[in-house]
Amino acid sequence: SDTSDDIRISAEGLKRISEGYRKARNTFKYILGNLHEFDPVKDGISHDKLLEVDAWALSKLEALKEEVTVAFEGYQLHKIYHAVYNFCVREMSSFYLDVLKDRLYTDSKSSLSGRSSRTALYEILSVLTKVLSPVLSFTCEEAWQSLGVKTSVHLEAWPKLLPKNRNIELEARWENFLLFREKILKALEEKR
């Protein structure tokens, strides 16, 4: 809630908040399910070797880190909630995780495609657990421990901003693709 004004509570508001939590938790679960036996040190690849869609996802993650960091510094928890919710729903669930399914289920885990997707997923989950740990402490701790990390997520440093991972041109190119995809999906739905 925006704490700069009176906080309103209602059954509808609580339902909306629980739905937001469920989206974040389901994103965690899906990513964790696809990181089984992934060792970022041994299996991860460098950013310059990522497939384009994986680089796009990390570029969007970098934008999220910037937005969330500014919101935390300004004590604007409602902006953090909305930014993470939109990231989990729009970028992750509605697109990236959806198109990633084929690669995750058919490509070898040791292939470039498999390693690229899992490298991106590991980074996404790592950042999400760190930035959400102040507000979703138990869920983030459980997800962090599921990654096989021995220390608590609450003892980790805040994710560093990595401007080199942000690629505005790549994001713009994929935005055009996403608009085209949206029109195609709408036309397919109408035909059904």
Side-chain angles (χ1 to χ4, degrees), residues 104-159:
L104 290 170
Y105 300 149
T106 61
D107 293 357
S108 167
K109 290 181 179 182
S110 61
S111 69
L112 175 63
S113 173
R115 293 174 68 202
S116 177
S117 60
R118 286 171 178 78
T119 298
L121 288 176
Y122 186 89
E123 182 64 22
I124 290 165
L125 185 59
S126 176
V127 168
L128 285 176
T129 54
K130 289 175 185 177
V131 301
L132 286 176
S133 64
V135 290
L136 295 177
S137 56
F138 295 109
T139 302
C140 292
E141 183 65 29
E142 186 176 359
W144 189 252
Q145 296 300 317
S146 295
L147 284 174
V149 182
K150 302 293 184 218
T151 61
S152 171
V153 70
H154 304 289
L155 298 176
E156 292 294 318
W158 189 256

Side-chain angles (χ1 to χ4, degrees), residues 50-70:
L50 293 173
L51 298 183
E52 189 171 295
V53 69
D54 301 322
W56 170 85
L58 292 185
S59 183
K60 296 303 278 186
L61 178 69
E62 195 60 34
L64 176 71
K65 283 194 311 190
E66 292 170 14
E67 186 176 356
V68 168
T69 299
V70 168

Side-chain angles (χ1 to χ4, degrees), residues 67 81-92:
E67 186 176 356
Y81 166 82
H82 290 293
V84 172
Y85 177 82
N86 289 336
F87 179 78
C88 288
V89 171
R90 291 181 190 156
E91 279 82 15
M92 292 295 101

Side-chain angles (χ1 to χ4, degrees), residues 7-125:
I7 297 176
R8 293 162 186 83
I9 190 162
S10 66
E12 181 62 33
L14 292 173
K15 183 178 177 185
R16 201 171 40 250
I17 290 169
S18 68
E19 180 61 28
Y21 168 72
R22 193 171 12 267
K23 290 288 185 187
R25 188 190 71 211
N26 287 343
T27 301
F28 284 13
K29 283 174 52 177
Y30 182 83
I31 293 174
L32 278 169
N34 286 288
L35 288 176
H36 181 68
E37 297 180 349
F38 177 78
D39 179 354
V41 175
K42 185 179 77 174
D43 303 322
I45 60 175
S46 62
H47 191 275
D48 60 318
K49 293 181 182 174
L50 293 173
L51 298 183
E52 189 171 295
V53 69
D54 301 322
W56 170 85
L58 292 185
S59 183
K60 296 303 278 186
L61 178 69
E62 195 60 34
L64 176 71
K65 283 194 311 190
E66 292 170 14
E67 186 176 356
V68 168
T69 299
V70 168
F72 263 115
E73 288 172 352
Y75 301 100
Q76 297 175 319
L77 298 179
H78 64 289
K79 289 186 177 183
I80 297 160
Y81 166 82
H82 290 293
V84 172
Y85 177 82
N86 289 336
F87 179 78
C88 288
V89 171
R90 291 181 190 156
E91 279 82 15
M92 292 295 101
S93 183
S94 294
F95 176 65
Y96 183 65
L97 298 178
D98 187 42
V99 301
L100 202 59
K101 286 178 188 169
D102 291 337
R103 287 172 50 206
L104 290 170
Y105 300 149
T106 61
D107 293 357
S108 167
K109 290 181 179 182
S110 61
S111 69
L112 175 63
S113 173
R115 293 174 68 202
S116 177
S117 60
R118 286 171 178 78
T119 298
L121 288 176
Y122 186 89
E123 182 64 22
I124 290 165
L125 185 59

